[in-house]
Amino acid sequence: MPRLRIALALGSGGLKGLAHIGVLRALAEAEIRPVAYAGASAGSLVAAAAAHDIPLADLRRLADGLLRRPIFQVDYVNLLRHGLRTPALYRGGPLRALCNDLFGDVTFRDLGAPLVVSTVDVETSRPVRLDASTAPSASVAEAVYASCALPGLLPPGSVDGRLLMDGSVLDPLALGAVARGADLVIVVSLDRSASRATSVVGRIAAPGLWWHAQSMVMRNVSRYELALWSGPPLLVVRPDLRDVHTVRVGDPARVIEAGYEAARAALERWEDRAVRTGRGAAEDIQ
């Protein structure tokens, strides 16, 4: 596999995206260094960190730090001040601070490896993929924030004068743009971890119901894209995160380990298939 040109696409999933850190660890152990990275929502943050050569140990400390400094904090001030006209349910400050801590003033042209960040234009409702060719001088920190800005939950981001929101709305896998020139695309889909609403329907809080509906949409869009895929062969990694909440951290180590184990299992399946078929080229393994 190290001889192949391998691209990595990391899908959306809120804090379930911590599983992507485990995927990076599995790839490093297998001596696989992707030639390009892409991500949507939480996947964009980890993909950008990998493209910026941020060490895995630092990402692991970042994940542990979320227990002390939560990203999703209800914006009570704006809720009291504006009511239903509030810009978003959660404050944008904590996530912006995290992105700035990780990437500072880095632009797409400064990165050590090609990166594609999936977003959606608020005004045109069209997907926008940010990279070194479309937005070379754009702030990676702001692009990643915009890709994570779930509509109604976090305020949109602004990149090169465009108001952008979460890429998971239309492009939850960020798959298409990163496939160009690759022999194999490893795509990490969190669709096995679709959130489950409580069985007592009358007690579901509005944010919980929103997350439940959004996870169903992302799961179906992701599966539709994979089913119709006509690009390079795919190796699909699906961590089992069925009991992991989208906005509450829980145990970061367990989420990371789930990503690691799923990636290891997927790599073993690919290697076994290649040995049994005697083929050096990749095959679709979903």
Side-chain angles (χ1 to χ4, degrees), residues 10 24 37-39 42-54 59 102-103 106 108 111-117 140-141 143-144:
L10 302 179
L24 293 182
Y37 299 87
S44 74
L45 190 149
V46 179
H52 191 39
D53 292 322
I54 294 176
L59 292 179
L102 281 173
F103 308 114
V106 172
F108 279 90
L111 294 171
L115 169 70
V116 180
V117 171
V140 171
V144 168

Side-chain angles (χ1 to χ4, degrees), residues 185-204:
V185 180
I186 299 175
V187 54
V188 184
S189 174
L190 304 180
D191 62 8
R192 284 187 66 189
S193 59
S195 61
R196 292 177 292 180
T198 176
S199 59
V200 185
V201 176
R203 297 179 184 175
I204 301 176

Side-chain angles (χ1 to χ4, degrees), residues 110-202:
D110 299 326
L111 294 171
L115 169 70
V116 180
V117 171
S118 173
T119 67
V120 173
D121 190 303
V122 174
E123 295 182 0
T124 65
S125 302
R126 294 179 178 176
V128 175
R129 288 169 171 160
L130 303 170
D131 58 25
S133 62
T134 62
S137 60
S139 161
V140 171
E142 190 58 35
V144 168
Y145 171 83
S147 184
C148 296
L150 284 156
L153 299 186
L154 287 167
S158 177
V159 178
D160 289 345
R162 286 189 292 188
L163 201 61
L164 303 175
M165 62 181 176
D166 190 353
S168 70
V169 174
L170 295 177
D171 188 23
L173 295 179
L175 184 54
V178 79
R180 192 180 306 114
D183 301 312
L184 170 70
V185 180
I186 299 175
V187 54
V188 184
S189 174
L190 304 180
D191 62 8
R192 284 187 66 189
S193 59
S195 61
R196 292 177 292 180
T198 176
S199 59
V200 185
V201 176

Side-chain angles (χ1 to χ4, degrees), residues 212-226:
H212 183 58
Q214 180 68 8
S215 67
M216 288 190 291
V217 171
M218 289 188 294
R219 178 185 60 201
N220 291 336
V221 171
S222 297
R223 292 184 176 181
Y224 181 79
E225 182 175 10
L226 292 175

Side-chain angles (χ1 to χ4, degrees), residues 261-272:
E261 293 296 339
R264 280 190 58 190
L267 293 173
E268 289 172 1
R269 288 198 310 273
W270 187 90
E271 290 171 352
D272 179 63

